[in-house]
Amino acid sequence: MAISENPCQVCSIDQRCCKDMGLKVSVREYEKNFKQHSSRLTTVKYNKMLIVFPKHNQPCPHWNGEGCSIYQDRPIDCRLYPFELNRMVEKKRKIEVVFYDQTDCPHKEDLFIPVEEAKELMKALARDVYGTGKPIEIKYEPGKRPPRTFGFLNPLVARLSWLIRSS
C-alpha cells in the first residue's frame, strides 16, 4: 500500500491515532489546519508547541468518515506516524527531540518512512516551532515503547486527554 493512497481509509482500529493521541503542532500548523475547528478541540500549550485533542471522543476534524481529508498536506506529526514524537524541548544550547517507533497501528509496516526522512521531518518541525537559531539534536530510540503523551508532563497530559475524551 502506498502512503499516497491514504491508508487511513482502511483503518481497522477506529482511527485511534486520530482520537487518542495529542497531536503536536507548531503555531503555524495550528493556524492553518485547526484554528477554524477550535470549538471541536482542546488545545494545550507546551513550551512553544501546541498539543491538540479532539473533544467528546470524536476523531480529528479532518477525518471525513473515509479517511483524512488533508492527507497530502497533513501536519508533520501526522506525517511521522507511526513514529511517535515523545519530546521536543529547548535547552540552553540546542533543541532536543526524541522519538520512537512502537505504536498499535495495524498498518505501521506499510507506513514507516525511512528513519533519516523522519529525522528530517523532526528537524523541520523543530525549526518551525523554535526557529533556526540553535542546533537540533534528534534521538531515535527504536523498539522502545513510548509514554502515550508528551515529555515530562506525561501524567498531566494523559489525565487531560482522558477528561476530554470522557466529557
Side-chain angles (χ1 to χ4, degrees):
M1 175 185 320
I3 289 177
S4 63
E5 293 176 11
N6 195 345
C8 302
Q9 293 175 327
V10 296
C11 181
S12 62
I13 59 170
D14 195 27
Q15 304 81 41
R16 216 175 303 144
C17 56
C18 298
K19 288 182 182 178
D20 293 346
M21 295 172 46
L23 183 63
K24 295 96 176 171
V25 296
S26 67
V27 171
R28 182 191 59 77
E29 288 177 314
Y30 177 82
E31 296 284 329
K32 177 182 176 185
N33 295 308
F34 298 103
K35 185 176 182 177
Q36 68 273 24
H37 303 286
S38 62
S39 65
R40 294 181 55 191
L41 304 166
T42 297
T43 305
V44 177
K45 186 167 179 150
Y46 176 77
N47 291 329
K48 294 182 179 182
M49 187 169 255
L50 300 172
I51 306 173
V52 179
F53 298 94
K55 290 181 181 177
H56 311 296
N57 203 29
Q58 295 296 308
C60 172
H62 297 292
W63 179 258
N64 65 14
E66 296 181 15
C68 177
S69 63
I70 61 168
Y71 191 81
Q72 296 303 323
D73 194 31
R74 64 201 184 281
I76 290 175
D77 198 24
C78 297
R79 290 180 180 279
L80 288 164
Y81 195 79
F83 290 113
E84 290 188 29
L85 172 60
N86 178 257
R87 181 174 64 246
M88 182 179 291
V89 294
E90 183 174 22
K91 299 199 171 184
K92 289 183 180 182
R93 296 190 175 129
K94 65 184 175 186
I95 307 301
E96 183 180 284
V97 180
V98 178
F99 73 107
Y100 304 94
D101 63 5
Q102 294 296 304
T103 70
D104 297 331
C105 177
H107 303 288
K108 67 182 172 185
E109 296 307 320
D110 296 325
L111 294 173
F112 275 126
I113 59 176
V115 171
E116 290 307 313
E117 188 177 333
K119 287 181 178 181
E120 289 303 314
L121 285 171
M122 296 283 179
K123 285 180 187 176
L125 181 58
R127 285 185 197 109
D128 197 18
V129 172
Y130 292 103
T132 59
K134 293 184 179 181
I136 300 166
E137 179 182 304
I138 307 234
K139 295 178 182 178
Y140 169 53
E141 299 189 6
K144 186 173 179 182
R145 184 75 183 167
R148 293 300 297 165
T149 55
F150 201 60
F152 69 89
L153 291 177
N154 284 344
L156 174 64
V157 175
R159 177 73 176 145
L160 178 61
S161 176
W162 179 83
L163 288 170
I164 291 166
R165 287 193 314 269
S166 63
S167 62

